Amino acid sequence: MARGRRRKLHLSKIYTFACGKPSVKENDQIGQPGFSRVVFCNEPDHYEAKIRNYADNYVSTTKYTLASFLPKSLFEQFRRVANFFFLVTGIMSFTDIAPYSAVSAILPLTIVIAATMVKEGVEDWQRKQQDIEVNNRNVKVHNGDGTFHDTEWRNLKVGDIVRVEKDQFFPADMLLLSSSYEDGACYVETMNLDGETNLKLKQALEATSSLSEDSDFQDFKAVIRCEDPNAHLYTFVGTMELEEQHCPLNPQQLLLRDSKLRNTDYIYGAVIFTGHDTKVIQNSTDAPSKRSKVEKKMDKLIYFLFFVLFVISFIGSVIFGIITKDDLQNGRMKRWYLRPDDTTVFYDPKGAPIAAILHFLTAVMLYAYLIPISLYVSIEIVKVLQSIFINQDIHMYDEETDKPARARTSNLNEELGQVDTILSDKTGTLTCNSMEFIKCSVAGTAYGRGITEVERAMAKRKGSPLANGVNGNDKTEDDKSGKSLVKGFNFKDERIMHGNWVNEPHADIIQGFFRLLAICHTAIPEVDEETGHVSYEAESPDEAAFVIAARELGFEFYKRTQTSISIHELDLVSGKKVERVYDLLNVLEFNSTRKRMSVIVRNQEGKLLLLCKGADSVMFERLDENSLDFEEDTRNHVNQYADAGLRTLILAYRELDEGEYVEFNKKFIEAKSSVSADREALIDEVTERMERNLVLIGATAVEDKLQHGVPDCIDKLAQAGIKIWVLTGDKMETAINIGFACSLLRQGMKQIIISLETPDIKALEKVEDKAVVTKASKECVLQQITTGKAQVTASSEAYALIIDGKSLAYALEDDLKNLFLELAIGCASVICCRSSPKQKALVTRLVKLGTGKTTLAIGDGANDVGMLQEADIGIGISGVEGMQAVMSSDVSIAQFQYLQRLLLVHGHWCYRRLSTMICYFFYKNIAFGVTLFLYEAHAAFSGQPAYNDWFMTFYNIFFTSLPPIALGVFDQDVSARFCLKFPLLYQEGVQNVLFNWRRILSWMFNGVYSAMIIFFFCIRALDSEAFDSAGKTVGREILGTTMYTCLIWVVNCQMALTINYFTLIQHIFIWGSIALWYLFLIAFGAMSPSISSTAYQLFVEALAPAPNFWFLTLFAVISALVPFYAYSALQMRFYPMYHGMIQWLRLEGQTDDPEYCNMVRQRSIRPQTVGVSARRVARTHR
């Protein structure tokens, strides 16, 4: 049955040349290891297919299943040393050596583990729901009788024939058989695979492209032999056996799962790979595991506390053993009331060593409260809430793109506050990656009067007035604003525009120039049927700028088929617009190795033309020696454009004769049809011979404007003491001028340039072999690095290091990389030009490992993924180049300018909050553990706990858990405005002043001191004195509860003294925790004595009526907190940290006093700092 009218060939909108014809060459790889897959099309239940047992199409991304959740999740939890330790002590609590009940020991561990497992379960359930939604999507599959029916994705099998409609996702990896276009082409969006938003063309084999109706598949049979499942998205090798024909298959016929059908009504395809065999799932590897430096140090602290725990347990056990042995000497009992002559093994003087060992185990269980069991859970809660605040920050929301900041992982929040070095991509990160055609050079004449942002910055740098036009007139107001009326086109020159180019001396060459721009591309034209306006969807912003420029200047590309390109152009003879159709014979595609693209076309006069555009580094060497009339002028213009920060391409052409083309086309088809592993190399070899002896036409120059706010952002980051490196693929001149425009470089800053573009090296490259050139190049780089290092060492001035890609390759070798890093660290800014994606990742690794400090990489394209994953923190810009960088990042933002708020505000806050919170956790647990130790020492290390079992259980869970979480989420030492006003505050995180060993140990000492004050105050105040009006003395239960009350007050009031910024939630949590203790004491005491034990009616009958209890609590709290308060007050008054200075400034109302603010701020301006402020300061000192 027909499924709709088939679209005619002439309605196709984009086609690159692709071979759909069978090849006579046999593929010798098929059937070999790695190429053994056999697919029986339209026979999914073929007996041989069943034997091969291919994977089904059900995809699961969950971490657990219903059966594995409990064991696997428990295993994950108990991999943590602290959790495993508490599990062991929990098991031991069921024995007689336990100092507390088993239930009270197991309950906190159960709550902590359960909370974490619930979180894991909820996250995995959300993944499960996504899997269910994907697996239950519907697709039409062939019944076997010429009809199709709907079925779920999960039911598909290898060999099924599937029909996919427009804007649907492909359910599996499929071979394209035919489409709604007669020639079997279709358009695919691969954003879910590689993040690229441009459409890709796919082309069915000619042998199957005629299968246009559902009924055509009733008797369709074919066998596909191809490669085994693998993760290579852009390669595919196979053959199709169809009616005794052997048709080679290549990536042009492969439709990948999770890509989307666009601009095509429907396609038919044969399922090749299903489920976890599909390429997208094969590529689904886990991102590198990243942990912050704070978290790593916290692990060391945990191990340190374990060491302390075992040491004090050992000391106590030794003393206990000695005392126990002395209890019975020659039949005389020293502590007769313990009846050492009739006791258990735990206190037997005759077996003192055994008793000491058993006591050691008891002590380990008792002092386990030194380890903060709820710390990990609390940190996870805090980090998730911090991430929510980052995501909801309206100041990092980009209204134009409707994209907020997104913390894709919460593990690295505090790491954002410790960044020492930023490694940034340029295009799309510092710049917009929104190209505008602004200048060009044709036949040796420069056209275009536009002024770029870099030129403005250069003019300011030189102190010269900026001309608005070539003749100094004021007509080009648009130049000042930098805005263009047409997106992608900002060209202004009356000699070219409005058809005036026909009056130029080289009008024929100008015509060829714009004709080449209109023909040599792979853009998709979209014609508005109502207005007739033509818009374009191109593979890159550069490509779009070229076809838009051609359209605006009279050469409108409006239609393309597989075999032709149609344009409206101005006829040089008649002066009228005419329609011209060019037969499109071949497209020689662009790649990063070729650095050029070409098309071969036949014009209406029958001439064969090769039109080529590419980078100057590969184009000038391909020019015909007899056609170099204006090469020198063009070179000069290209260099001038690079100086102005523009991206340039060289345009050239060549006329072909028929015989030459026929020979080329035969070899080209063979190379394209090849299914060997070196297919691309064969194609490059064929095209290399064709793209020679070109005739130069001219050069284009497009501007990639700086993103809004980039110079100010870099200025703030530089004032914060953060080093900024730029890693770009651009030419050195372009990168340097962009550096000046965004204030990475400034006038007067000395430049150390490391380059292999020297006369000696160039001469060697022409005459010597590769080994000699390599050795000489390496020696040259070493000499330049050594000289540069000597310059930096001998001077206190600011230096900038600029190195090109060739030199960088040698500088990153093992014997040079440390020397290179030393030089780079000594420079104020570093720019690496012509860098490959691999070099970006290697430089990032070098900085990360070489300095040992936190590195942040930021980029927007697929070529930045390695750098983002290698850095401690990867920031993805959700820009023009798709979402690949964002998908590989830890945090995504819409524009570079938001980086200053992300780091200087959220980074600083998160670092400070987490650091203080962790220190506080250890403080309160040490205070609790030391009171237990002191009481046990007071009780001759008998293993008797000072507190009721349930008091110990709920200490970390209820009475002290919420205030530190509130601190970790809400506390602010200074406001966001002051974080940005005084960027040096950020150095507190870079230098780690809030979480170094000195600060950690001081918090621990505070905990020990507080415990000693509480214990000795309570012991001395209550020892052998009447506690109430009845004259009763205190017992263990009253002493322990009084100590516990003092401890709850002290640790919660300590939190109140620590907080800088009170909110209602913090008040509720702090004072509510204290109130909860009293409510618990009353409620718990009202329970049966079998449950409350020593706490039965304790508060109501003993503590509340006794004035001593209330006075002792008051004096103990004041005495424990006074030292901390006094130290903090003295430090704040006489030796304030940087945040303290800002707090004083705010308190004294001097925030608007320019002189005082400048005095504070000047501490952040250092001689080697880059940025606008540094430039201003440097100018005042000249």
Side-chain angles (χ1 to χ4, degrees):
M1 182 178 73
R3 287 286 181 173
R5 186 177 178 184
R6 202 156 189 219
R7 299 179 71 175
K8 297 293 183 181
L9 177 64
H10 65 270
L11 293 178
S12 303
K13 294 186 177 177
I14 174 173
Y15 293 90
T16 57
F17 179 87
C19 176
K21 298 181 179 180
S23 170
V24 296
K25 293 178 63 178
E26 288 293 335
N27 176 26
D28 56 0
Q29 289 181 304
I30 300 301
Q32 300 299 319
F35 299 87
S36 61
R37 196 173 187 87
V38 180
V39 177
F40 298 91
C41 297
N42 218 9
E43 297 179 284
D45 296 320
H46 192 280
Y47 74 93
E48 192 172 336
K50 291 182 177 180
I51 294 173
R52 293 177 179 271
N53 195 28
Y54 293 134
D56 61 29
N57 204 40
Y58 183 86
V59 170
S60 174
T61 60
T62 59
K63 189 176 180 180
Y64 309 104
T65 64
L66 192 61
S68 69
F69 175 71
L70 196 60
K72 199 172 179 180
S73 181
L74 285 174
F75 174 75
E76 290 292 329
Q77 297 308 312
F78 290 118
R79 287 174 65 184
R80 287 178 170 171
V81 177
N83 288 346
F84 182 74
F85 170 76
F86 282 109
L87 175 65
V88 173
T89 57
I91 294 171
M92 291 169 60
S93 68
F94 287 95
T95 66
D96 292 336
I97 63 174
Y100 39 65
S101 66
V103 177
S104 64
I106 293 295
L107 184 63
L109 177 64
T110 303
I111 292 175
V112 169
I113 295 297
T116 309
M117 287 178 66
V118 166
K119 172 181 171 288
E120 290 273 327
V122 169
E123 290 177 350
D124 213 50
W125 175 251
Q126 291 173 345
R127 287 191 286 268
K128 177 69 173 178
Q129 294 299 106
Q130 291 174 348
D131 290 345
I132 291 173
E133 188 273 326
V134 170
N135 288 314
N136 287 344
R137 288 176 182 171
N138 285 332
V139 67
K140 295 184 183 298
V141 65
H142 187 227
N143 289 323
D145 58 357
T147 62
F148 284 72
H149 73 281
D150 287 332
T151 187
E152 288 85 9
W153 280 20
R154 61 185 176 183
N155 296 327
L156 288 183
K157 299 176 184 178
V158 173
D160 273 332
I161 303 299
V162 172
R163 177 187 169 109
V164 178
E165 308 284 347
K166 182 179 179 180
D167 292 330
Q168 289 184 344
F169 290 99
F170 298 120
D173 288 354
M174 306 190 304
L175 184 78
L176 175 62
L177 298 176
S178 61
S179 75
S180 57
Y181 292 112
E182 285 187 350
D183 52 0
C186 72
Y187 309 106
V188 175
E189 182 185 272
T190 59
M191 181 182 286
N192 286 348
L193 304 182
D194 55 18
E196 295 182 7
T197 55
N198 56 288
L199 301 186
K200 308 290 194 305
L201 171 75
K202 298 294 180 179
Q203 175 68 53
L205 293 173
E206 186 178 26
T208 61
S209 62
S210 60
L211 300 169
S212 59
E213 306 289 342
D214 290 0
S215 57
D216 293 340
F217 289 91
Q218 182 171 355
D219 300 317
F220 174 74
K221 296 287 188 295
V223 178
I224 298 172
R225 303 182 188 276
C226 64
E227 63 186 24
D228 293 335
N230 59 67
H232 303 302
L233 291 175
Y234 306 110
T235 62
F236 179 70
V237 175
T239 60
M240 173 186 278
E241 298 172 11
L242 177 64
E243 298 175 352
E244 299 184 357
Q245 272 189 321
H246 287 258
C247 306
L249 305 175
N250 59 53
Q252 283 289 90
Q253 287 88 48
L254 188 64
L255 305 174
L256 299 180
R257 179 189 173 110
D258 280 350
S259 51
K260 182 186 285 189
L261 183 65
R262 294 285 302 276
N263 289 12
T264 312
D265 293 338
Y266 61 87
I267 63 98
Y268 293 102
V271 176
I272 299 176
F273 301 119
T274 50
H276 289 272
D277 287 345
T278 57
K279 290 181 180 285
V280 65
I281 303 298
Q282 293 273 319
N283 274 277
S284 299
T285 56
D286 293 332
S289 178
K290 296 182 181 181
R291 300 183 69 213
S292 69
K293 289 180 172 56
V294 169
E295 196 171 341
K296 291 176 183 176
K297 181 171 280 190
M298 186 182 73
D299 289 344
K300 295 178 182 177
L301 274 173
I302 295 288
Y303 291 126
F304 173 73
L305 287 182
F306 273 121
F307 173 76
V308 171
L309 185 155
F310 286 113
V311 166
I312 62 176
S313 298
F314 177 77
I315 293 171
S317 300
V318 170
I319 296 173
F320 173 79
I322 294 172
I323 294 174
T324 300
K325 185 177 181 181
D326 292 342
D327 271 349
L328 189 63
Q329 295 287 344
N330 300 322
R332 297 182 62 184
M333 296 178 288
K334 191 171 183 179
R335 293 186 294 181
W336 53 268
Y337 51 87
L338 295 178
R339 292 302 304 273
D341 58 331
D342 184 19
T343 187
T344 63
V345 66
F346 303 111
Y347 304 101
D348 187 1
K350 298 175 183 177
I354 300 298
I357 292 173
L358 293 173
H359 178 274
F360 175 78
L361 298 176
T362 301
V364 167
M365 297 173 67
L366 183 60
Y367 303 146
Y369 290 98
L370 281 170
I371 312 300
I373 187 172
S374 60
L375 176 58
Y376 286 109
V377 174
S378 299
I379 286 177
E380 285 190 17
I381 293 171
V382 165
K383 285 186 174 183
V384 168
L385 294 174
Q386 287 177 346
S387 297
I388 291 173
F389 281 132
I390 290 174
N391 297 344
Q392 297 295 324
D393 190 341
I394 192 66
H395 297 289
M396 294 194 294
Y397 168 73
D398 187 56
E399 189 172 356
E400 183 178 345
T401 59
D402 190 30
K403 290 179 181 175
R406 278 282 177 264
R408 294 170 51 81
T409 174
S410 60
N411 293 341
L412 304 172
N413 293 351
E414 66 275 24
E415 199 88 329
L416 291 170
Q418 295 185 280
V419 174
D420 178 76
T421 305
I422 294 174
L423 300 105
S424 174
D425 175 43
K426 183 190 78 68
T427 303
T429 303
L430 298 177
T431 58
C432 298
N433 200 18
S434 177
M435 308 299 175
E436 289 186 345
F437 186 91
I438 190 169
K439 295 186 181 185
C440 64
S441 170
V442 187
T445 304
Y447 296 100
R449 308 198 189 282
I451 297 172
T452 68
E453 292 180 359
V454 172
E455 286 176 312
R456 291 189 179 91
M458 290 170 65
K460 290 179 182 177
R461 191 164 81 244
K462 295 173 182 176
S464 63
L466 187 64
N468 291 317
V470 174
N471 299 321
N473 57 40
D474 295 323
K475 293 180 181 179
T476 54
E477 264 321 297
D478 287 340
D479 287 346
K480 295 180 179 179
S481 65
K483 295 180 180 178
S484 60
L485 297 176
V486 178
K487 184 178 181 182
F489 184 74
N490 197 15
F491 181 85
K492 295 175 180 63
D493 195 319
E494 65 281 357
R495 295 172 295 172
I496 293 290
M497 300 182 72
H498 310 300
N500 294 335
W501 59 268
V502 298
N503 301 318
E504 287 294 293
H506 299 286
D508 56 333
I509 299 179
I510 295 175
Q511 183 185 43
F513 180 90
F514 291 114
R515 184 180 285 165
L516 190 152
L517 290 182
I519 296 173
C520 185
H521 56 77
T522 57
I524 304 172
E526 292 281 354
V527 181
D528 188 317
E529 295 181 0
E530 294 182 2
T531 64
H533 178 74
V534 183
S535 58
Y536 306 103
E537 187 166 340
E539 291 191 5
S540 68
D542 307 62
E543 192 105 294
F546 294 142
V547 288
I548 289 170
R551 181 194 69 195
E552 294 300 313
L553 294 171
F555 293 77
E556 183 182 61
F557 158 60
Y558 69 93
K559 186 172 71 173
R560 178 198 293 259
T561 69
Q562 185 180 13
T563 57
S564 68
I565 285 181
S566 302
I567 62 175
H568 290 131
E569 65 175 62
L570 188 64
D571 183 62
L572 196 59
V573 178
S574 64
K576 297 179 181 180
K577 271 212 170 186
V578 296
E579 178 181 333
R580 290 184 67 93
V581 179
Y582 295 85
D583 294 333
L584 180 60
L585 304 178
N586 304 91
V587 175
L588 315 184
E589 296 173 354
F590 175 91
N591 62 45
S592 57
T593 304
R594 284 167 38 79
K595 295 183 180 178
R596 63 191 183 278
M597 81 159 287
S598 303
V599 296
I600 298 177
V601 297
R602 189 190 302 273
N603 64 15
Q604 292 177 345
E605 289 76 30
K607 286 184 179 179
L608 283 170
L609 300 173
L610 182 144
L611 308 178
C612 184
K613 64 183 182 186
D616 59 295
S617 58
V618 298
M619 290 294 289
F620 280 121
E621 64 189 33
R622 285 172 167 74
L623 298 181
D624 187 358
E625 293 181 359
N626 299 320
S627 304
L628 303 178
D629 298 341
F630 40 83
E631 181 194 3
E632 186 176 348
D633 290 333
T634 305
R635 281 184 183 271
N636 292 335
H637 293 153
V638 167
N639 291 333
Q640 291 171 15
Y641 296 154
D643 288 343
L646 300 175
R647 294 162 66 106
T648 59
L649 284 180
I650 303 299
L651 274 57
Y653 78 100
R654 178 184 168 204
E655 288 191 20
L656 309 177
D657 59 53
E658 287 290 339
E660 181 183 16
Y661 174 71
V662 170
E663 183 183 353
F664 158 78
N665 195 43
K666 179 181 177 182
K667 293 180 179 179
F668 186 65
I669 290 175
E670 288 179 0
K672 292 279 282 189
S673 303
S674 171
V675 289
S676 62
D678 58 349
R679 175 176 175 271
E680 295 301 323
L682 292 174
I683 294 173
D684 288 348
E685 184 181 344
V686 174
T687 57
E688 179 78 18
R689 297 175 192 158
M690 204 64 170
E691 294 167 327
R692 291 284 181 184
N693 302 320
L694 303 176
V695 178
L696 178 65
I697 300 178
T700 61
V702 295
E703 180 183 17
D704 188 6
K705 289 182 177 293
L706 283 176
Q707 286 188 17
H708 177 69
V710 165
D712 291 335
C713 177
I714 288 177
D715 183 43
K716 289 290 185 185
L717 296 174
Q719 288 185 54
I722 301 174
K723 302 178 185 69
I724 302 172
W725 293 32
V726 174
L727 313 177
T728 177
D730 280 341
K731 294 175 64 175
M732 183 175 289
E733 296 81 3
T734 306
I736 289 174
N737 286 304
I738 290 291
F740 276 109
C742 64
S743 298
L744 269 175
L745 306 176
R746 68 170 186 267
Q747 189 72 13
M749 179 183 282
K750 295 187 176 180
Q751 297 179 8
I752 298 173
I753 297 177
I754 300 176
S755 173
L756 289 176
E757 297 296 319
T758 63
D760 293 341
I761 298 297
K762 285 184 176 181
L764 281 175
E765 287 176 345
K766 293 180 179 178
V767 297
E768 299 289 348
D769 61 23
K770 189 175 181 181
V772 175
V773 174
T774 300
K775 183 179 178 182
S777 299
K778 188 171 182 179
E779 290 175 354
C780 180
V781 171
L782 174 60
Q783 181 186 2
Q784 292 179 71
I785 292 176
T786 306
T787 305
K789 190 180 174 188
Q791 287 180 267
V792 173
T793 305
S795 174
S796 60
E797 296 183 52
Y799 281 86
L801 173 63
I802 298 127
I803 182 170
D804 64 17
K806 285 184 181 178
S807 305
L808 189 60
Y810 294 105
L812 291 174
E813 292 184 2
D814 290 341
D815 53 343
L816 286 186
K817 63 182 181 182
N818 290 330
L819 195 64
F820 167 67
L821 182 62
E822 290 173 12
L823 170 61
I825 290 173
C827 294
S829 58
V830 180
I831 299 176
C832 300
C833 314
R834 297 292 196 191
S835 305
S836 67
K838 184 178 180 180
Q839 285 179 328
K840 290 182 179 183
L842 289 174
V843 169
T844 304
R845 181 186 301 174
L846 175 64
V847 177
K848 180 177 72 172
L849 299 180
T851 64
K853 296 181 179 179
T854 303
T855 57
L856 180 149
I858 179 168
D860 73 316
N863 61 333
D864 300 318
V865 169
M867 177 174 72
L868 300 185
Q869 293 186 337
E870 190 64 55
D872 293 302
I873 308 168
I875 307 291
I877 300 284
S878 47
V880 178
E881 288 194 25
M883 300 296 287
Q884 183 114 350
V886 169
M887 291 187 288
S888 303
S889 67
D890 303 304
V891 183
S892 68
I893 53 179
Q895 292 189 37
F896 185 88
Q897 64 170 325
Y898 299 140
L899 190 61
Q900 63 174 316
R901 186 172 181 87
L902 181 66
L903 299 187
L904 304 187
V905 179
H906 290 284
H908 171 73
W909 283 348
C910 291
Y911 165 74
R912 182 175 186 84
R913 290 164 177 169
L914 260 298
S915 301
T916 307
M917 173 186 166
I918 294 170
C919 288
Y920 175 81
F921 252 98
F922 288 113
Y923 153 80
K924 72 183 182 68
N925 276 64
I926 284 176
F928 185 63
V930 170
T931 57
L932 289 171
F933 175 77
L934 292 174
Y935 180 81
E936 208 210 356
H938 182 70
F941 293 99
S942 61
Q944 184 67 47
Y947 310 122
N948 181 285
D949 295 356
W950 291 105
F951 293 179
M952 294 191 290
T953 297
F954 292 146
Y955 177 78
N956 277 318
I957 295 177
F958 293 128
F959 305 135
T960 62
S961 60
L962 292 180
I965 290 177
L967 167 78
V969 176
F970 298 108
D971 194 38
Q972 297 178 13
D973 53 349
V974 299
S975 67
R977 184 167 69 93
F978 286 106
C979 284
L980 296 172
K981 192 171 185 178
F982 301 99
L984 188 64
L985 180 63
Y986 187 79
Q987 279 294 311
E988 290 186 349
V990 178
Q991 297 173 16
N992 200 23
V993 298
L994 303 178
F995 201 61
N996 53 31
W997 283 107
R998 177 182 173 185
R999 187 173 178 87
I1000 293 167
L1001 293 174
S1002 67
W1003 271 96
M1004 290 182 171
F1005 174 78
N1006 189 25
V1008 173
Y1009 168 80
S1010 298
M1012 294 176 68
I1013 288 292
I1014 291 170
F1015 175 77
F1016 287 111
F1017 263 51
C1018 291
I1019 285 290
R1020 297 305 174 205
L1022 301 177
D1023 188 26
S1024 304
E1025 292 186 13
F1027 184 70
D1028 57 17
S1029 57
K1032 294 179 180 178
T1033 57
V1034 300
R1036 181 176 69 90
E1037 66 283 354
I1038 293 178
L1039 173 63
T1041 306
T1042 304
M1043 287 170 55
Y1044 194 90
T1045 303
C1046 293
L1047 189 63
I1048 295 297
W1049 270 97
V1050 167
V1051 297
N1052 280 290
C1053 289
Q1054 175 71 61
M1055 173 58 70
L1057 292 177
T1058 304
I1059 286 175
N1060 290 285
Y1061 179 76
F1062 270 100
T1063 63
L1064 178 61
I1065 293 176
Q1066 287 163 314
H1067 279 295
I1068 292 173
F1069 282 1
I1070 292 173
W1071 313 121
S1073 295
I1074 296 172
L1076 181 64
W1077 157 241
Y1078 287 109
L1079 294 174
F1080 169 79
L1081 196 55
I1082 295 170
F1084 187 61
M1087 294 181 182
S1088 166
S1090 61
I1091 299 175
S1092 59
S1093 63
T1094 58
Y1096 181 68
Q1097 296 295 339
L1098 183 64
F1099 183 75
V1100 175
E1101 294 183 0
L1103 298 178
N1108 284 4
F1109 171 75
W1110 301 104
F1111 282 116
L1112 182 57
T1113 302
L1114 177 64
F1115 286 123
V1117 171
I1118 293 174
S1119 301
L1121 296 178
V1122 160
F1124 176 85
Y1125 179 79
Y1127 173 80
S1128 300
L1130 289 172
Q1131 184 193 49
M1132 185 69 175
R1133 190 69 186 88
F1134 299 107
Y1135 305 102
M1137 296 175 69
Y1138 198 70
H1139 71 270
M1141 294 177 61
I1142 299 171
Q1143 289 172 346
W1144 272 116
L1145 185 144
R1146 182 173 177 271
L1147 179 67
E1148 295 173 356
Q1150 294 177 310
T1151 57
D1152 297 321
D1153 184 343
E1155 186 175 347
Y1156 192 81
C1157 287
N1158 194 51
M1159 181 183 72
V1160 175
R1161 194 185 296 109
Q1162 280 301 312
R1163 288 185 54 182
S1164 66
I1165 305 292
R1166 302 175 182 179
Q1168 295 187 342
T1169 300
V1170 299
V1172 177
S1173 301
R1175 177 184 291 174
R1176 194 180 304 119
V1177 171
R1179 190 182 302 125
T1180 60
H1181 285 89
R1182 286 203 296 269

